[in-house]
Amino acid sequence: MTQYMDFEKPLAEIEGKAEELRALARSNAEMDVAEEASALDSKARTMLEDLYGSLTPWRKCQVARHPERPHCQDYIDALFTEYTPLAGDRNFADDHAVMGGLARLNDRPVVVIGHEKGKDTKSRIEHNFGMARPEGYRKAIRLMDMAHRFGLPVVTLVDTPGAYPGKGAEERGQSEAIARSTEKCLQIGVPLVSVIVGEGGSGGAVAFATANRVAMLEHSVYSVISPEGCASILWKDAEKMREAAEALRLTAQDLKKLGVVDRIIPEPLGGAHRDPQKAIEAVGRTITSMIEELSSQNPAALVSERREKFLELGSAGIAA
């Protein structure tokens, strides 16, 4: 059953009425509701097109956080074969907010790394809602080192509200671990491609997304801070998150214009959560295409291109 967001309430009513008609028809074979249900379906589709054709930045945040949106595990299960998860940072522990390992993408060996949020209460707690601790970033560094050693492309799937801000994480060097992971992204001499599939929150996302090619799903978001956090700092009022979302320029469309991301991946009508398989297939095609673009470059060229890409971010705005 679809979970509707606040701004989808009128749509929920129409789709609910259509489903009620079909349920009545199933219980009474003599009832013919096909025409009425079809009219409601048509009305619902038109409303869906209108809603998703003009989403505000705050509504895009809501869509990016939708609990039924495909997560890292879904992408790995659908797109990769022979996935062998690797655990632990060889120092403190294994962080379940970060998953990764060796796999094949279209029979090409790769290393895949991503944030996993979990799907229900139990798994969300286990994965800490996708908020990585230092050991998660150190695990990612270990996997990127392995990819560099064996010449394997790296694919990262970003979906995190941000790095975990807890006391223990700070004691174990959270900011240093994030910085080291970002540094490692800049150092490895293999193709590195990243897709923001949901939320890309702060340094917790940058630590995986400092890549040769960065793509975003159409309704994903990527920002230095959450709208709620930004509102709390600027206006001392988290309820001003709508204004903060506008100011942060966190949508895929804004970030493409700014040169922060290279590609926008279209989502099914109504968001990735309405047709997860279609969204996953689109992400798979994009990842494959980005790796193909980079496969002919030598290690030095890959590192140089990646560094220049990030050094030049914002230069157009400064010049203006």
Side-chain angles (χ1 to χ4, degrees):
M1 185 175 179
T2 302
Q3 293 189 38
Y4 293 93
M5 290 164 281
D6 290 343
F7 67 88
E8 293 180 314
K9 284 180 180 177
L11 177 67
E13 292 177 9
I14 294 171
E15 292 187 335
K17 287 176 183 177
E19 185 53 39
E20 284 177 15
L21 283 175
R22 292 190 177 93
L24 284 171
R26 285 193 292 269
S27 62
N28 186 344
E30 296 180 1
M31 289 186 67
D32 184 7
V33 299
E35 188 174 338
E36 293 89 338
S38 179
L40 287 171
D41 287 341
S42 179
K43 186 176 180 181
R45 183 175 179 83
T46 299
M47 184 175 289
L48 198 61
E49 289 171 349
D50 291 341
L51 284 173
Y52 279 80
S54 58
L55 287 178
T56 64
W58 173 243
R59 287 182 175 180
K60 281 185 178 285
C61 288
Q62 293 176 279
V63 177
R65 295 170 176 173
H66 196 286
E68 294 172 357
R69 197 172 175 86
H71 293 160
C72 183
Q73 185 70 66
D74 300 313
Y75 287 101
I76 289 176
D77 290 344
L79 299 177
F80 298 88
T81 57
E82 298 182 34
Y83 173 63
T84 304
L86 298 174
D89 66 346
R90 299 295 186 266
N91 183 38
F92 181 77
D94 182 38
D95 183 1
H96 292 174
V98 175
M99 59 186 301
L102 299 164
R104 288 183 179 273
L105 177 66
N106 300 324
D107 208 36
R108 180 199 295 269
V110 299
V111 167
V112 58
I113 306 167
H115 301 96
E116 174 58 43
K117 285 184 171 181
K119 286 191 173 295
D120 52 29
T121 301
K122 182 179 179 181
S123 63
R124 285 172 191 149
I125 292 170
E126 178 188 353
H127 294 289
N128 201 32
F129 300 87
M131 296 185 292
R133 298 176 172 88
E135 44 272 24
Y137 296 107
R138 290 174 180 138
K139 172 165 67 174
I141 291 169
R142 185 169 74 86
L143 293 177
M144 285 189 274
D145 273 331
M146 180 182 296
H148 176 77
R149 190 178 308 124
F150 294 106
L152 304 177
V154 176
V155 178
T156 64
L157 302 169
V158 177
D159 189 13
T160 179
Y164 183 60
K167 180 174 180 286
E170 294 298 329
E171 289 173 343
R172 296 193 298 278
Q174 181 71 292
S175 58
E176 186 267 347
I178 291 170
R180 293 289 184 189
S181 183
T182 306
E183 179 185 44
K184 184 58 64 178
C185 287
L186 290 168
Q187 291 175 339
I188 57 175
V190 294
L192 172 55
V193 301
S194 181
V195 182
I196 290 90
V197 296
E199 288 184 276
S202 191
V206 173
F208 285 6
T210 310
N212 293 96
R213 299 286 185 274
V214 181
M216 286 181 72
L217 276 170
E218 181 182 0
H219 302 310
S220 58
V221 294
Y222 188 22
S223 64
V224 70
I225 191 172
S226 70
E228 297 92 333
C230 178
S232 295
I233 292 170
L234 293 184
W235 295 290
K236 312 300 181 188
D237 182 3
E239 290 304 310
K240 287 189 176 288
M241 65 274 191
R242 291 168 183 81
E243 292 89 335
E246 292 279 353
L248 283 167
R249 306 285 293 277
L250 45 63
T251 69
Q253 294 73 23
D254 281 335
L255 294 168
K256 179 70 166 59
K257 291 177 185 175
L258 292 169
V260 175
V261 301
D262 304 295
R263 300 188 185 196
I264 298 175
I265 306 171
E267 295 190 25
L269 180 62
H273 57 280
R274 280 189 168 254
D275 193 343
Q277 188 56 40
K278 188 174 179 180
I280 290 169
E281 288 171 0
V283 168
R285 288 192 296 271
T286 300
I287 291 172
T288 300
S289 174
M290 292 192 295
I291 291 176
E292 287 295 333
E293 286 178 11
L294 300 165
S295 60
S296 62
Q297 295 189 33
N298 62 47
L302 289 166
V303 172
S304 176
E305 180 196 82
R306 200 179 305 136
R307 287 177 175 271
E308 288 302 316
K309 172 186 172 69
F310 286 89
L311 285 171
E312 290 174 4
L313 286 183
S315 59
I318 293 169

